[in-house]
Amino acid sequence: MAKQPPHRDPAQDAPHVGPPAHAAAGLPAIGHTLRMAADQMSPGRVLATLRKVNQQGGFDCPGCAWPDPDKPHLAEFCENGAKAVAEEATERRTTPEFFAAHPVAELAERSGYWLGQQGRLTTPMLLDEGASHYAPIGWDEAFALIAAELTALGSPDEAAFYTSGRTSNEAAFAYQLFARRLGTNNLPDCSNMCHESSGSALTETLGVGKGSVSLKDLYQADLIIVAGQNPGTNHPRMLSALERAKRAGAKIVSVNPLPEAGLERFKNPQTPRGLVGSGTRLTDLFLQIRLGGDLALFRALNHLLLTTPDAVDEAFVAEHCAGYREFAAEAADLDRPATLAATGLPWEQIEELHRLVLSSRKIIVCWAMGLTQHKHSVPTIREVVNFLLLRGNVGRPGAGVCPVRGHSNVQGDRTMGIFERPSTAFLDALGKEFAFEPPRAHGYDTVDTIRAMRDGRIRVFFAMGGNFVAASPDTDATEAAMRRCRLTVHVSTKLNRSHVITGARALILPTLGRTDRDVSTLGPQFVSVEDSMGMVHSSRGGLRPPAPDLLSEVAIVSRLARAALGPQDPTPWEDFARDYDLIRDRIARVIPGFDDFNAKVRRPGGFALPHAPRDSRTFPTATGKANFTVNPLTAPDVPPGRLLLQTLRSHDQYNTTVYGLDDRYRGITGGRRVVLVNPADAAELGLDDGRFVDLVSEWKDGVERRAAHFRVVHYPVARGGAAAYYPETNVLVPLDSTADISNTPTSKAVVVRLEPTA
């Protein structure tokens, strides 16, 4: 049997600090995986569950969106994926008796780690207005309550419908359809907080807001640049792909303010060399860039290419690109002192990267939130595209753009229409298929939803998965905004912080997870997901659900839609809940690339969605070509005595879900309230290793945002920067500090001062 959840809250303990690791995975990863799984499940359940992860006929890992290889390994999961599966397949239960024993005020004092350790939710729960405890409520009563609140609104735009990346394609399509039948485009999602900058930049420059490469491209590349990303913790299966690329002859460059163990050396736990040998050295060149310096680096690289004879693929540029003359004229001059100040790199390292580029025909650039969560994130990614276009590295095998998405199916949700700014073509197709006129006005993204709740313009907040309160910026402002709502509803598998920061009334609707068997009145059902590289495949859970009357996300949406829209709505919601094939038939008629969806998704491995720049070197942009852009150099203004903070994950977490209190790759164990500071910066600030400080962010609004009691850890961070874990430091990110164009919170660029803890 699984171990009981902790009674006390160990997340409050002070952390221990040791030396950071210089290799990822290996035997320690196997041992840690088995221990974490055994904490949550019996041995038989562990075996029955893990052998189905990312397998054909099995279920898609609820963790990251990294694609599956054509021939999955028998253990096609990573350490963090196994943790995600164990947390969902846990034998622990959060029952009505638990809620009766714990008032909401008490639960609000607990850490997110402690809340998540209590187990799977089993029963719909209502926190009524003025009540101190959640109490059970029937499904029909819950849907009737939500419907009454929605129909009482002055406008459908007084409701917001948030989506986490875990939601399946079928549930996401039904969800956005319901919101638009109701009459609103208020569909914020987790993409708004992570890769929105990627979508904005890629749509403008290439015409498609997704990556252009496949796993096969990675294996064929000559040079792979990994910028602003930590695969060892956030996408561990990517390390296997990088190892394979390395053995095929690729060079790998990592660009990051912190050295990351996984990019340094990978001990593949599926090979003898990885288990008992030294593993594979991955990075050929490590550029320890200053926070926010990536734009300056790629500008410098592009300047060098433009001034090197025969470095530019002039035929590709002439045939396929627009805006080259303006870009080249602006990039002809380079402010070298400003470049060196922004990047923190010696010029010799930039020249070394330039030489690697010149010797490589096929180049891929991968990135994650280290590039997307700055004020100048969109210009940075546009400059990355400039770099690839210069040498024709889009639409060529082994080359292209590779934004690595964080959460499983976060990309699929956007494809299904979870977007506050839908295209006219999508709305036209949706309206034609369902015989209605969808709303055309743009809705609220995540940041604007918080502002609208704060200002009383959103009265009902509905979340399909996720942990909105913990994931969002400016925690105090977000929590205050949430409390202004009339009703907050969360469809969830486990307890989290968002369930204890509520509106006047609150509902928790428990749902099936990826690991659970989904059986409707018609029989077994399956769902589909889209990975980070545009592959769509099926997902079938096999475990008995944690409670007999648990509903799937599709069933929850369908029953709510019928309750809120009434019997007169012609959409066959009851049929959708019984037969997901009927939803897929509708998707096939609305969304390009999904023709014959039901047949293609049943093929082993699924199918690839079309991508015009990759498939045919055609670019559906405003110019009809790939667009070069001009991106002036900018740098954050950090006053003397201050540091620029980036929020990041520990190795024992995925997004806001904390699996444990260790970050063994960085040498942190038993706690999370640490701030990593370069020893030279710490000396200048008079901060000894081990000292406890408060982190106080500084923003032009003058509001004090404080995260208290963090242990200073001397760590090899790039000079001028610091790092600390989220969600604990999300309180420091000002709500109005967002990226230009994408409106993404600037969680990688927070100006802070460190004050000794009282």
Side-chain angles (χ1 to χ4, degrees):
M1 287 295 293
K3 297 179 182 178
Q4 293 299 307
H7 175 69
R8 56 182 294 277
D9 196 339
Q12 309 299 333
D13 294 347
H16 304 282
V17 179
H22 295 283
L27 279 172
I30 294 176
H32 201 62
T33 296
L34 294 176
R35 284 195 300 273
M36 296 283 277
D39 278 347
Q40 302 282 349
M41 297 183 284
S42 62
R45 192 175 178 90
V46 171
L47 180 62
T49 306
L50 293 182
R51 69 185 181 89
K52 292 288 189 180
V53 184
N54 296 324
Q55 299 295 329
Q56 295 174 8
F59 63 90
D60 193 69
C61 177
C64 81
W66 189 253
D68 302 330
D70 291 338
K71 297 180 179 179
H73 192 276
L74 289 175
E76 190 55 54
F77 56 84
C78 66
E79 177 186 345
N80 273 1
K83 294 174 189 174
V85 170
E87 287 264 322
E88 182 174 286
T90 181
E91 293 174 288
R92 300 173 184 173
R93 301 289 181 262
T94 306
T95 63
E97 290 74 21
F98 169 88
F99 288 102
H102 297 282
V104 173
E106 176 200 320
L107 295 176
E109 297 299 317
R110 297 286 194 168
S111 69
Y113 168 69
W114 187 91
L115 293 172
Q117 290 296 305
Q118 304 311 303
R120 287 288 297 274
L121 295 159
T122 63
T123 308
M125 303 297 296
L126 168 66
L127 180 68
D128 216 342
E129 191 163 7
S132 60
H133 292 67
Y134 274 100
I137 184 174
W139 281 108
D140 288 340
E141 292 81 5
F143 294 135
L145 187 156
I146 301 168
E149 289 283 358
L150 290 174
T151 55
L153 296 174
S155 162
D157 289 326
E158 293 179 2
F161 298 90
Y162 176 74
T163 316
S164 158
R166 191 185 67 82
T167 304
S168 69
N169 287 330
E170 292 74 13
F173 184 82
Y175 189 53
Q176 63 82 28
L177 174 62
F178 162 57
R180 292 184 168 115
R181 293 289 323 213
L182 190 69
T184 185
N185 282 316
N186 288 344
L187 286 156
D189 73 333
C190 53
S191 286
N192 298 146
M193 294 185 281
C194 53
H195 268 289
E196 198 66 61
S197 297
S198 300
S200 297
L202 295 177
T203 300
E204 177 185 354
T205 56
L206 301 180
V208 179
K210 302 180 182 182
S212 67
V213 302
S214 66
L215 275 179
K216 184 183 293 186
D217 290 314
L218 273 179
Y219 304 151
Q220 297 175 1
D222 299 322
L223 175 64
I224 301 170
I225 301 174
V226 183
Q229 185 193 358
N230 175 16
T233 286
N234 300 334
H235 315 91
R237 287 196 299 148
M238 182 178 175
L239 298 179
S240 299
L242 292 177
E243 180 184 50
R244 181 169 171 179
K246 190 71 183 288
R247 292 187 177 178
K251 298 291 185 181
I252 297 174
V253 175
S254 57
V255 184
N256 204 304
L258 285 77
E260 300 291 5
L263 285 171
E264 190 171 341
R265 186 172 293 276
F266 174 47
K267 295 185 176 183
N268 191 334
Q270 298 174 346
T271 65
R273 176 188 176 96
L275 288 175
V276 298
S278 60
T280 303
R281 180 174 175 263
L282 292 181
T283 294
D284 296 282
L285 175 63
F286 171 44
L287 302 182
Q288 188 166 21
I289 199 161
R290 283 183 174 160
L291 273 170
D294 305 272
L295 173 58
L297 172 64
F298 281 97
R299 276 179 55 90
L301 202 54
N302 289 338
H303 168 80
L304 291 173
L305 291 174
L306 286 165
T307 55
T308 302
D310 302 321
V312 176
D313 187 338
E314 295 181 359
F316 173 84
V317 170
E319 182 178 356
H320 296 291
C321 300
Y324 175 73
R325 181 178 301 175
E326 296 81 359
F327 156 75
E330 200 273 342
D333 295 323
L334 180 75
D335 187 335
R336 186 179 293 195
T339 298
L340 298 180
T343 62
L345 299 172
W347 186 252
E348 293 74 20
Q349 281 197 332
I350 298 175
E351 289 182 322
E352 185 176 355
L353 175 57
H354 176 231
R355 288 192 293 271
L356 283 172
V357 170
L358 292 178
S359 64
S360 304
R361 182 174 181 272
K362 297 172 290 186
I363 301 175
I364 292 173
V365 181
C366 304
W367 71 87
M369 287 186 285
L371 262 61
T372 66
Q373 292 183 327
H374 296 268
K375 181 173 176 56
H376 56 278
S377 286
V378 174
T380 298
I381 297 165
R382 291 191 309 217
E383 198 67 23
V384 170
V385 175
N386 287 342
F387 163 70
L388 291 168
L389 293 178
L390 277 175
R391 290 176 61 78
N393 278 306
V394 175
R396 170 189 295 165
V401 293
C402 184
V404 182
R405 305 282 176 168
H407 207 164
S408 174
N409 211 45
V410 63
Q411 184 162 295
D413 288 349
R414 180 58 59 86
T415 302
M416 291 297 108
I418 302 294
F419 192 31
E420 77 282 356
R421 292 175 284 120
S423 69
T424 298
F426 173 83
L427 292 178
D428 288 346
L430 187 71
K432 179 180 179 181
E433 176 64 27
F434 290 95
F436 80 113
E437 177 54 39
R440 300 285 171 162
H442 288 174
Y444 296 135
D445 64 11
T446 294
V447 168
D448 284 337
T449 293
I450 299 169
R451 293 167 177 158
M453 290 191 294
R454 175 198 63 193
D455 299 340
R457 290 178 282 121
I458 292 290
R459 309 300 293 158
V460 174
F461 177 85
F462 192 106
M464 182 63 68
N467 185 357
F468 186 86
V469 166
S472 297
D474 214 338
T475 307
D476 292 344
T478 296
E479 293 187 354
M482 190 70 73
R483 289 189 170 105
R484 291 208 65 191
C485 291
R486 278 288 309 153
L487 175 67
T488 51
V489 185
H490 296 274
V491 178
S492 305
T493 57
K494 299 185 72 181
L495 195 63
N496 64 47
R497 177 75 178 165
S498 295
H499 302 137
V500 297
I501 306 298
T502 72
R505 291 197 290 179
L507 280 165
I508 302 173
L509 304 181
T511 189
L512 297 178
R514 291 272 179 85
T515 58
D516 298 325
R517 227 172 17 241
D518 186 353
V519 182
S520 74
T521 56
L522 195 66
Q525 301 296 312
F526 71 89
V527 296
S528 65
V529 297
E530 179 186 346
D531 65 33
S532 192
M533 294 182 177
M535 291 293 298
V536 178
H537 57 273
S538 64
S539 178
R540 295 174 173 84
L543 295 178
R544 178 180 299 182
D549 62 345
L550 223 55
L551 297 181
S552 70
E553 290 179 328
V554 171
I556 289 172
V557 172
S558 297
R559 289 179 62 174
L560 172 59
R562 179 56 74 205
L565 299 175
Q568 69 275 11
D569 183 80
T571 310
W573 297 108
E574 294 81 3
D575 294 337
F576 286 172
R578 284 192 296 267
D579 187 354
Y580 300 173
D581 278 357
L582 299 179
I583 302 176
R584 286 186 282 269
D585 286 340
R586 300 301 189 104
I587 292 171
R589 293 196 288 268
V590 171
I591 302 177
F594 284 85
D595 52 290
D596 206 16
F597 188 8
N598 270 307
K600 290 194 293 190
V601 78
R602 285 173 163 83
R603 298 173 188 166
F607 63 98
L609 291 175
H611 189 289
R614 177 195 64 208
D615 300 337
S616 59
R617 279 192 164 178
T618 56
F619 301 91
T621 63
T623 63
K625 294 189 174 185
N627 292 318
F628 279 96
T629 54
V630 174
N631 305 294
L633 179 60
T634 61
D637 181 19
V638 184
R642 308 299 190 259
L643 297 174
L644 196 63
L645 177 78
Q646 65 168 326
T647 68
L648 43 67
R649 298 174 183 161
S650 79
H651 191 60
D652 264 359
Q653 77 177 97
Y654 198 79
N655 292 343
T656 59
T657 303
V658 177
Y659 305 131
L661 302 178
D662 296 344
D663 189 354
R664 68 174 188 276
Y665 291 164
R666 298 189 180 108
I668 314 295
T669 58
R672 294 176 50 80
R673 299 187 78 83
V674 296
V675 56
L676 311 181
V677 182
N678 185 286
D681 288 327
E684 290 180 1
L685 296 171
L687 298 174
D688 295 333
D689 187 275
R691 188 169 188 176
F692 283 86
V693 297
D694 291 357
L695 310 180
V696 185
S697 73
E698 297 183 348
W699 175 245
K700 60 186 179 183
D701 62 5
V703 174
E704 180 179 285
R705 298 172 176 86
R706 182 179 296 264
H709 200 65
F710 280 66
R711 184 197 191 279
V712 173
V713 177
H714 289 186
Y715 199 86
V717 184
R719 288 297 306 271
Y725 304 132
Y726 72 82
E728 290 87 347
T729 49
N730 284 354
V731 66
L732 302 172
V733 185
L735 181 63
D736 293 326
S737 179
T738 60
D740 295 336
I741 302 173
S742 69
N743 207 32
T744 295
T746 58
S747 300
K748 298 295 183 288
V750 184
V751 176
V752 296
R753 66 178 187 270
L754 277 57
E755 296 183 351
T757 294

